[in-house]
Amino acid sequence: MPEPTRKDETANGRPEVWSLGDGQGPDDLEKPIDTPPRSTLLIESPQSAVILVGGDITFVAKVEAKDLLRKPTVKWFKGKWMDLASKTGKHLQLKETFDRLTKIHTFEMHIVKAKDNYAGNYRCEVTYKDKFDSCSFDLEVKEAEQGSQNIDIRSAFKRSSEGQEDAGELDFSGLLKHREPKPEDDTPEVDVWDILKNARPDQYEKIAFTYGITDLRGLLRRMKKIPKEVKKSEAFAKKLDPAYQADKGGKIRLVVDLADPTVDLKWYKNGQEIRSSPKFIFEHKGTQRIMVINNCSMNDDAAYSVAAGDEKCSTELFVKELPVKIVKDIEAVKTTVNERVELECEVSEEGAQVKWMKNGVEVPTGVRSRYRVKCEGTKHFLVIDDASREDTGTYSVMATGGTSEAHVQVDLKPLKVLRDLEDAKVLLGQPIKLQCEISPGNVPGRWYRNGQLIQPNDRINIVHRNRVHRLEIAAGSLHDAGDYTFVPEGYSQSLSAKIHIFDPPRVHLESMNFPDNTVTIVAGNKLRLEIPISGEPAPRVVWMKGERVILESGNRVRAETCGDQTSLTIDVTEREDIGNYKIVLQNEAGEATASVKIKVVDIPDPPEAPLVPAVGGDWCSMIWEPPKYDGGSPILGYFIERKKKQSSRWMRLNFDQIKETSFEPKKMIEGVPYEVRIFAVNAIGVSKPSEPSKAFTPLAVTSEPTMLVVDDVTDTTVTVKWRPPETIGAAGLDGYSVEYCIEGTDDWIVSNNALTEKTKYTITGLTTGSKILVRVKAINAAGASSPRTIQHSVLVKEVIEPPKIRVPRHLKQTYTRRVGEAVNVVVPFMGKPRPKVTWLKEGTAIDPTHVNIRNTDCDSIIFIRKAERSHSGKYEMAVQVENHVDTAVLDIQVVDLPGPPQCVNIEDVWGGNVALVWTPPKDNGNAQIIGYTIQKADKKTMEWYTCIEHYHRTCITIPELVVGNEYFFRIFAENMCGLSETATQTKKSALIVKEGMQLKTHDYSDHDFMEAPKFTQPLINTFAIAGYNATLNCSVRANPRAKVIWMKNKMAILDDPRYRMFSNQGVCTLEIRKPSPYDGGMYTCKAINDLGEAQVDCKLEVKGGFTFYELMKRGVPLHLIDKYMNEKTVEQEK
């Protein structure tokens, strides 16, 4: 059955809601509403939504940032005042993101696990400088249907508090009352639902308080949703229906069926007992009890109940009115403003209620409303006394039985402009006057500036006389410039004019308080000079330095103008920024100029490298020049630093600034090179360091030479000798200076023009019989030491000394050398004057083409470059001074390798033994034979193995030979030079057979395994790194075994410790130890045997190189070093 409309509800079914806080009073309806400026910032607004309890939802707001210089400010509210930023937590989260590509700010509000009390109206506000935008939206939270048997009622209906885990939830009712969390008690669990189900409603509050349930409203809502258990009635067999409906003026029957017909029955209307009357008639029919209501009216619309004993049942009666129909429709109206509009309709019933609507919205009909309604019987009227253009629209009237509508058109009255407003240009401070003339003359109007209503005041006067409307402003200001509009009241037509306020440009430097208009800044800092300017219209500003214009688009130096100020920005000031800057302002009212001087102060330039004119043992003196540029501030002093040349650590020598340009560092280590540098200091700071001075070394002279004595005297020379100074020092010793003077004079003569490094010197060119004094000075880089002088004068006259040969100990025995070695024998002797030396070999003179002899004043040398055996013999030396002679004899023996033994025979073979006999070699190499080396070889392989070495006898028995093998034997002779180059081999072989058995061998021809050398793996061109070992490898096959010779540039490599040669199973290896570029070249491996020879080549290139000194240190001959250095120079030029 459809439910009729209640009296307290509107026609659309919604209850009427009255707001007491947000609406305007009747007196304010006709006042102009000053709406704050509002711009659209939101490009996407959050929308209203509906969610279930416990669900999640996200509201999104987006702001476009193309015209924004910084991020806008966004706030989220619930209701009118609650800022949600302070409520963020587990259930509420606010998030902000920015997309750089689309330049859109996204603001999100996440609600997690929503609750019932989260429902309501929300608002999002966006602000940016003077712009503002907002959007409202609703959130509806619905509860999901669920049973109550699994709910902990005491925890479910407790409100959250700030100190608990769920702090930060949207518990808005918790703002009204804060409770401290109560400690949990240990009372036994009780079923509160059972207690509530069995209790009366008036006991719910007491039960909730007893068991700590604070959300009583939520409890009651949950109780309503719990399905009630229907108990079987003992008094009623059938109760009243839940509701009944009857038409107005009709009749209705309410029927109950009793289980006990004897029970007394009473009927009630809205709690009042009903008595029998023509209106209410009671009937009995068996167990049925019937109440009939005749002629139903709206007063009968009420709640009815019937009581049978202690039980009661109730119902509700709805009286339905008959629909009211519209008999006469409203008609369309077309009129002009300020006229009276009346809309009329007629309905089918007097006193019926109708509703007037405009464009689908109910027309307000309050006391202060512009609309009036009246009713005359069945006629209803809507009256608008003073119509305006806003009243144009579609009006409708609604009754319960129909609707009627019509269009109302309100137009403006025709307006005639006799004199229009005119544009004007006014200087600042001059009066402004705007005047227009319109017809009709009694039409009022309003004046607007830039869309804002102008109100008269002490400065502004508005005059309306007949058809003339005038606006007067006493003194024009910059704010008075703009678009002026006069709007006649009631007309869409308006009159407009533009006022331009002109103000000559000015630069307000006096407000900056710069002394002499000079700005001082430290170099490297950022300078932003903001200067106030004025002028209307806004002047064009040009910054200039000299003839150069500073642009707004400059990188480091740029000029900017914004509003009433202009600025000069220098990001990093430099010295070049010093100078006068000119500001030029121009507009239609004139031109103005001003000048600002910028002074950039900086640290001074570093001084030039200091000079060190004097150096001592532990000190030096240094001087320098002041820096060329002092940074715009006077030099206050200098700092000095010193370091060792090999070090990178500088040490400050003075902590107080030195104002002079000279300094004397001390406490330096003698012999250590030092460098010094200078820092200049001004009020801004310390300059960069100067270039270091040239390296200098503190040095001291040596002590005087010691033990100066006379070594020899002749008729024209004096020889002196001495020992080095006891203290030489770090400067070392460069040499000695020898001076002499004639006795009785002080004229010292330097004998040696060049310093001598020896501690012995002969003074020549002296006069025989004169007496001289001699002194010696030690010279180094620091200068000459104190002289050492002979105590007594020396007589220049020679003394005869008999000769005497001092034969060295190793020459008193036989002097032995090998063939090819050098013989260098030095025999010292004594005697004065210089002795005469003669040499004889075996009593005959020595051939100088074979033996070189060199004589000095004190010794004689025999030198043989390559000794031969023919150089052996006894050499006699004779030394003669006048009639005095001394002799000595030297025995020189040149030895060589011995020859092989003359004959080797197999004397006997028995068992595994072979007896050999041989004769000594014919040539013993000019030395005694000290032993023999015996080797054996199996006939099958012919590989030789040594049986015994250093054997002294000429016969031997070789034991432990293998039965069945056939052996050859060979013997080398050995002397002090080594083994003979060749060996003597037995002509016959020795076959080792088992005793008692004879083997009959078949005659067959042996396979010829003999093969000339052949390389199976050649050499490969190789690159090596200087200083790292390199190897060359190849493999050769040959039978008999080939002799391998390694060559470099076609020269055989012999006994060179830098090369090591290996040969194993035919693999030949040459190892070059730590090669240098000199070792690069063409290498050859040559294999030779009796059947022939073969060779392979490769090129070795060594990367990196050695200096001249390193090659000398490695013992490389000078001519090879010179060749290597020339080749290296040519390669670099290429």
Side-chain angles (χ1 to χ4, degrees):
M1 179 182 294
E3 184 176 349
T5 303
R6 292 292 188 90
K7 292 181 181 180
D8 56 347
E9 294 183 358
T10 60
N12 57 6
R14 294 185 180 178
E16 295 182 353
V17 179
W18 293 86
S19 174
L20 301 180
D22 297 334
Q24 289 181 302
D27 297 336
D28 298 334
L29 291 176
E30 297 181 359
K31 292 184 179 180
I33 300 175
D34 189 9
T35 304
R38 178 170 175 179
S39 61
T40 302
L41 294 174
L42 291 169
I43 61 174
E44 181 178 335
S45 303
Q47 303 297 324
S48 301
V50 179
I51 60 171
L52 297 177
V53 174
D56 301 342
I57 191 170
T58 301
F59 295 97
V60 180
K62 293 185 178 181
V63 179
E64 189 172 12
K66 290 183 178 179
D67 300 329
L68 307 184
L69 299 179
R70 58 181 176 84
K71 186 184 72 174
T73 302
V74 175
K75 292 185 179 180
W76 299 85
F77 295 91
K78 185 175 190 298
K80 291 183 60 177
W81 56 270
M82 180 170 293
D83 188 352
L84 299 183
S86 61
K87 296 299 176 181
T88 57
K90 182 172 65 175
H91 293 276
L92 176 64
Q93 300 172 3
L94 302 181
K95 181 180 178 183
E96 300 179 4
T97 57
F98 179 67
D99 191 342
R100 296 184 180 275
L101 296 178
T102 60
K103 297 188 179 298
I104 292 178
H105 291 279
T106 303
F107 302 90
E108 299 180 359
M109 180 177 72
H110 301 280
I111 297 178
V112 182
K113 297 182 179 178
K115 296 186 177 180
D116 289 338
N117 53 359
Y118 291 5
N121 179 259
Y122 290 79
R123 187 172 75 257
C124 174
E125 292 186 357
V126 183
T127 56
Y128 174 78
K129 292 186 177 180
D130 56 347
K131 298 181 179 181
F132 171 80
D133 198 358
S134 67
C135 175
S136 297
F137 55 97
D138 296 324
L139 174 63
E140 182 178 353
V141 182
K142 293 185 177 181
E143 295 194 13
E145 293 294 335
Q146 58 182 5
S148 61
Q149 62 275 12
N150 296 326
I151 300 177
D152 184 1
I153 185 171
R154 286 182 288 178
S155 61
F157 295 102
K158 285 186 179 179
R159 301 186 188 274
S160 60
S161 60
E162 295 178 357
Q164 294 178 352
E165 180 183 2
D166 56 352
E169 297 182 0
L170 296 178
D171 190 3
F172 303 108
S173 60
L175 295 173
L176 303 176
K177 190 173 184 180
H178 294 283
R179 297 182 183 272
E180 295 296 331
K182 295 182 179 180
E184 297 183 1
D185 54 3
D186 297 334
T187 57
E189 293 289 338
V190 295
D191 192 349
V192 183
W193 284 118
D194 290 341
I195 298 175
L196 291 172
K197 290 176 182 178
N198 299 324
R200 297 192 307 274
D202 59 348
Q203 296 177 340
Y204 288 166
E205 185 175 358
K206 180 179 179 181
I207 296 173
F209 178 77
T210 303
Y211 292 99
I213 299 172
T214 57
D215 191 1
L216 183 58
R217 293 183 179 177
L219 174 64
L220 296 176
R221 287 196 299 269
R222 186 61 60 85
M223 288 289 295
K224 290 181 180 179
K225 295 181 180 180
I226 298 177
K228 297 181 179 180
E229 298 179 1
V230 180
K231 296 182 179 180
K232 188 175 181 180
S233 175
E234 295 180 356
F236 296 100
K238 181 181 178 183
K239 295 184 177 181
L240 295 173
D241 293 337
Y244 294 88
Q245 180 175 333
D247 293 333
K248 184 177 180 182
K251 183 173 66 174
I252 188 69
R253 291 163 57 89
L254 303 182
V255 181
V256 294
D257 195 353
L258 297 178
D260 184 5
T262 62
V263 178
D264 293 334
L265 197 70
K266 292 183 179 181
W267 293 86
Y268 297 89
K269 175 184 177 182
N270 292 334
Q272 299 293 327
E273 185 177 356
I274 302 173
R275 301 295 181 181
S276 179
S277 65
K279 179 76 172 177
F280 300 97
I281 299 173
F282 299 102
E283 297 179 358
H284 296 258
K285 187 183 291 184
T287 58
Q288 292 183 345
R289 301 293 183 265
I290 303 170
M291 181 179 71
V292 180
I293 304 175
N294 295 316
N295 194 17
C296 293
S297 65
M298 298 304 299
N299 291 331
D300 297 326
D301 191 312
Y304 292 86
S305 61
V306 57
D310 295 333
E311 291 191 28
K312 181 185 292 186
C313 66
S314 60
T315 186
E316 193 167 358
L317 175 62
F318 296 96
V319 179
K320 181 180 179 182
E321 294 187 50
L322 294 175
V324 178
K325 296 182 180 180
I326 298 177
V327 177
K328 181 181 178 182
D329 295 331
I330 57 178
E331 297 178 357
V333 177
K334 185 173 183 181
T335 184
T336 58
V337 295
N338 301 328
E339 298 295 334
R340 185 175 184 273
V341 178
E342 182 176 296
L343 299 177
E344 177 186 356
C345 73
E346 186 175 351
V347 297
S348 59
E349 183 179 344
E350 292 186 5
Q353 297 290 330
V354 297
K355 182 183 292 185
W356 292 92
M357 309 285 286
K358 175 187 175 183
N359 296 331
V361 179
E362 185 177 0
V363 175
T365 58
V367 178
R368 301 293 180 133
S369 176
R370 298 175 58 251
Y371 301 95
R372 292 187 300 110
V373 294
K374 64 180 180 177
C375 179
E376 296 177 358
T378 58
K379 295 183 179 181
H380 292 264
F381 301 89
L382 175 65
V383 181
I384 306 174
D385 292 326
D386 189 6
S388 64
R389 291 200 64 187
E390 289 76 12
D391 297 326
T392 300
T394 300
Y395 289 79
S396 60
V397 59
M398 297 178 62
T400 57
T403 303
S404 177
E405 65 179 22
H407 184 73
V408 176
Q409 179 67 39
V410 181
D411 297 325
L412 293 175
K413 296 179 180 179
L415 180 70
K416 184 176 181 182
V417 179
L418 302 179
R419 181 181 178 185
D420 201 352
L421 296 177
E422 297 179 355
D423 296 343
K425 296 182 179 180
V426 182
L427 289 177
L428 184 68
Q430 297 297 320
I432 301 173
K433 183 176 181 182
L434 291 174
Q435 181 174 327
C436 65
E437 186 175 352
I438 61 175
S439 178
N442 61 345
V443 176
R446 294 184 180 184
W447 291 86
Y448 294 88
R449 179 177 60 242
N450 297 328
Q452 299 292 326
L453 180 65
I454 300 176
Q455 299 290 348
N457 53 31
D458 296 338
R459 195 172 63 89
I460 300 174
N461 185 25
I462 298 176
V463 179
H464 177 201
R465 292 179 181 175
N466 297 326
R467 294 180 296 181
V468 177
H469 295 266
R470 185 168 59 250
L471 174 66
E472 298 175 350
I473 302 176
S477 64
L478 295 178
H479 299 288
D480 295 329
D483 293 327
Y484 284 78
T485 305
F486 176 74
V487 181
E489 187 172 344
Y491 292 90
S492 60
Q493 186 177 357
S494 62
L495 288 74
S496 299
K498 194 165 188 176
I499 299 296
H500 299 272
I501 304 296
F502 289 97
D503 184 19
R506 286 186 297 167
V507 182
H508 302 278
L509 284 178
E510 64 278 0
S511 63
M512 304 301 292
N513 296 326
F514 291 149
D516 299 330
N517 291 338
T518 301
V519 180
T520 304
I521 188 167
V522 178
N525 291 344
K526 181 177 180 179
L527 172 63
R528 182 172 178 85
L529 188 61
E530 297 181 350
I531 299 177
I533 60 174
S534 62
E536 183 64 31
R540 186 173 66 91
V541 183
V542 178
W543 284 81
M544 302 179 66
K545 181 183 180 185
E547 298 299 328
R548 182 171 61 89
V549 177
I550 301 175
L551 304 176
E552 294 185 2
S553 59
N555 293 329
R556 188 179 64 85
V557 182
R558 59 187 179 275
E560 299 174 354
T561 301
C562 181
D564 58 351
Q565 70 177 13
T566 180
S567 63
L568 174 67
T569 303
I570 304 177
D571 290 336
V572 180
T573 53
E574 299 177 354
R575 296 179 187 173
E576 292 77 8
D577 300 326
I578 299 176
N580 290 324
Y581 291 77
K582 185 178 180 181
I583 311 170
V584 180
L585 277 66
Q586 293 179 343
N587 69 358
E588 298 177 7
E591 180 177 333
T593 61
S595 180
V596 178
K597 183 178 180 181
I598 295 179
K599 181 180 179 182
V600 180
V601 293
D602 196 0
I603 60 175
D605 285 348
E608 294 184 358
L611 302 177
V612 182
V615 179
D618 63 346
W619 60 274
C620 74
S621 63
M622 52 184 294
I623 58 176
W624 62 90
E625 294 294 332
K628 295 181 180 179
Y629 175 67
D630 61 0
S633 180
I635 300 296
L636 301 179
Y638 302 91
F639 289 120
I640 294 92
E641 289 186 352
R642 177 189 72 197
K643 80 172 182 70
K644 298 176 182 178
K645 185 177 180 181
Q646 297 82 0
S647 173
S648 60
R649 179 183 177 188
W650 290 91
M651 182 178 68
R652 179 68 60 86
L653 299 182
N654 64 312
F655 294 97
D656 296 329
Q657 299 173 6
I658 296 175
K659 298 185 178 180
E660 296 81 10
T661 57
S662 62
F663 188 68
E664 188 174 302
K666 296 182 179 180
K667 295 182 181 181
M668 291 185 283
I669 302 173
E670 183 183 357
V672 177
Y674 286 90
E675 293 177 346
V676 291
R677 65 182 183 184
I678 310 296
F679 293 84
V681 184
N682 65 1
I684 305 304
V686 182
S687 71
K688 294 182 180 180
S690 67
E691 291 294 327
S693 65
K694 293 183 179 180
F696 62 91
T697 305
L699 299 173
V701 298
T702 66
S703 62
E704 59 187 15
T706 60
M707 299 181 67
L708 177 62
V709 296
V710 178
D711 185 57
D712 188 18
V713 179
T714 65
D715 291 341
T716 58
T717 63
V718 173
T719 302
V720 295
K721 62 180 180 180
W722 62 91
R723 290 191 176 180
E726 294 181 354
T727 303
I728 294 179
L733 181 62
D734 296 338
Y736 300 94
S737 175
V738 181
E739 301 176 352
Y740 70 92
C741 71
I742 306 300
E743 187 178 16
T745 65
D746 292 334
D747 186 12
W748 290 93
I749 302 171
V750 178
S751 178
N752 55 330
N753 294 328
L755 297 179
T756 178
E757 296 180 358
K758 298 180 180 179
T759 57
K760 185 177 182 180
Y761 185 77
T762 299
I763 304 173
T764 60
L766 300 176
T767 304
T768 304
S770 62
K771 291 184 178 181
I772 63 172
L773 293 174
V774 182
R775 69 183 185 184
V776 180
K777 296 179 181 178
I779 308 297
N780 66 2
S785 68
S786 301
R788 169 69 71 179
T789 308
I790 295 178
Q791 297 180 357
H792 304 286
S793 60
V794 179
L795 177 63
V796 181
K797 187 176 182 181
E798 189 171 13
V799 179
I800 297 175
E801 180 181 345
K804 184 177 182 181
I805 300 174
R806 297 183 177 274
V807 180
R809 180 176 298 176
H810 69 282
L811 295 178
K812 292 181 180 181
Q813 301 175 358
T814 301
Y815 182 73
T816 305
R817 278 291 178 267
R818 296 184 180 182
V819 173
E821 292 183 346
V823 177
N824 190 10
V825 177
V826 181
V827 181
F829 57 82
M830 300 175 60
K832 290 185 180 180
R834 181 175 180 175
K836 180 180 179 182
V837 181
T838 57
W839 285 89
L840 299 174
K841 177 185 178 185
E842 303 294 345
T844 61
I846 299 175
D847 186 0
T849 60
H850 294 83
V851 179
N852 296 325
I853 298 177
R854 186 180 63 183
N855 299 321
T856 65
D857 295 342
C858 60
D859 58 25
S860 181
I861 301 174
I862 293 180
F863 178 73
I864 303 173
R865 186 174 298 276
K866 289 186 179 181
E868 299 178 359
R869 292 176 64 175
S870 60
H871 294 145
S872 301
K874 295 185 180 297
Y875 291 78
E876 182 178 352
M877 176 184 177
V879 180
Q880 181 179 358
V881 176
E882 296 184 353
N883 297 328
H884 303 280
V885 179
D886 191 12
T887 61
V889 178
L890 303 180
D891 187 6
I892 297 177
Q893 182 181 6
V894 180
V895 299
D896 197 2
L897 294 175
Q902 294 186 27
C903 182
V904 179
N905 296 320
I906 298 175
E907 189 177 34
D908 192 10
V909 177
W910 74 95
N913 305 310
V914 174
L916 301 177
V917 178
W918 65 91
T919 57
K922 185 177 181 180
D923 180 13
N924 62 0
N926 203 22
Q928 182 182 358
I929 299 298
I930 61 175
Y932 299 92
T933 296
I934 298 91
Q935 294 182 346
K936 65 180 178 180
D938 190 359
K939 185 178 179 181
K940 297 178 182 178
T941 61
M942 288 307 294
E943 292 185 2
W944 295 97
Y945 297 93
T946 300
C947 299
I948 190 169
E949 295 177 327
H950 312 303
Y951 188 71
H952 298 283
R953 301 173 64 183
T954 57
C955 60
I956 190 173
T957 300
I958 305 300
E960 300 180 358
L961 298 176
V962 178
V963 176
N965 289 354
E966 189 173 356
Y967 293 93
F968 287 94
F969 299 90
R970 68 180 182 182
I971 299 176
F972 294 88
E974 182 181 7
N975 65 2
M976 60 183 299
C977 294
L979 297 176
S980 60
E981 292 184 353
T982 60
T984 303
Q985 182 177 334
T986 58
K987 296 181 180 180
K988 297 181 180 181
S989 61
L991 179 62
I992 308 301
V993 298
K994 188 174 182 180
E995 294 181 356
M997 296 182 62
Q998 292 184 356
L999 177 65
K1000 294 181 180 181
T1001 59
H1002 299 280
D1003 295 334
Y1004 61 91
S1005 58
D1006 294 336
H1007 178 73
D1008 187 6
F1009 288 97
M1010 306 297 284
E1011 182 182 4
K1014 179 180 180 182
F1015 282 93
T1016 59
Q1017 178 64 39
L1019 293 173
I1020 301 174
N1021 293 337
T1022 306
F1023 289 90
I1025 304 300
Y1028 294 88
N1029 292 358
T1031 58
L1032 303 177
N1033 300 284
C1034 62
S1035 61
V1036 65
R1037 185 176 68 225
N1039 192 10
R1041 188 172 184 179
K1043 180 180 179 181
V1044 178
I1045 301 174
W1046 287 92
M1047 293 181 290
K1048 175 189 174 186
N1049 297 331
K1050 298 183 180 181
M1051 298 291 294
I1053 300 174
L1054 300 173
D1055 298 333
D1056 193 330
R1058 292 184 295 111
Y1059 297 94
R1060 295 174 62 188
M1061 291 167 277
F1062 307 95
S1063 179
N1064 184 20
Q1065 300 295 328
V1067 178
C1068 305
T1069 303
L1070 175 65
E1071 181 182 0
I1072 307 171
R1073 303 179 63 187
K1074 295 183 178 179
S1076 66
Y1078 160 74
D1079 294 319
M1082 186 66 68
Y1083 283 81
T1084 303
C1085 181
K1086 189 173 185 180
I1088 305 173
N1089 69 359
D1090 295 340
L1091 300 179
E1093 65 181 34
Q1095 71 178 29
V1096 289
D1097 302 323
C1098 75
K1099 184 178 180 181
L1100 175 66
E1101 185 176 348
V1102 181
K1103 299 293 185 180
F1106 294 93
T1107 61
F1108 180 85
Y1109 172 76
E1110 291 172 338
L1111 293 174
M1112 287 289 294
K1113 190 175 180 181
R1114 292 173 66 87
V1116 180
L1118 287 175
H1119 70 283
L1120 295 178
I1121 295 176
D1122 183 61
K1123 180 180 179 182
Y1124 162 69
M1125 297 300 288
N1126 292 336
E1127 293 176 353
K1128 185 176 181 181
T1129 303
V1130 172
E1131 290 178 358
Q1132 291 177 352
E1133 290 177 354
K1134 290 182 180 180

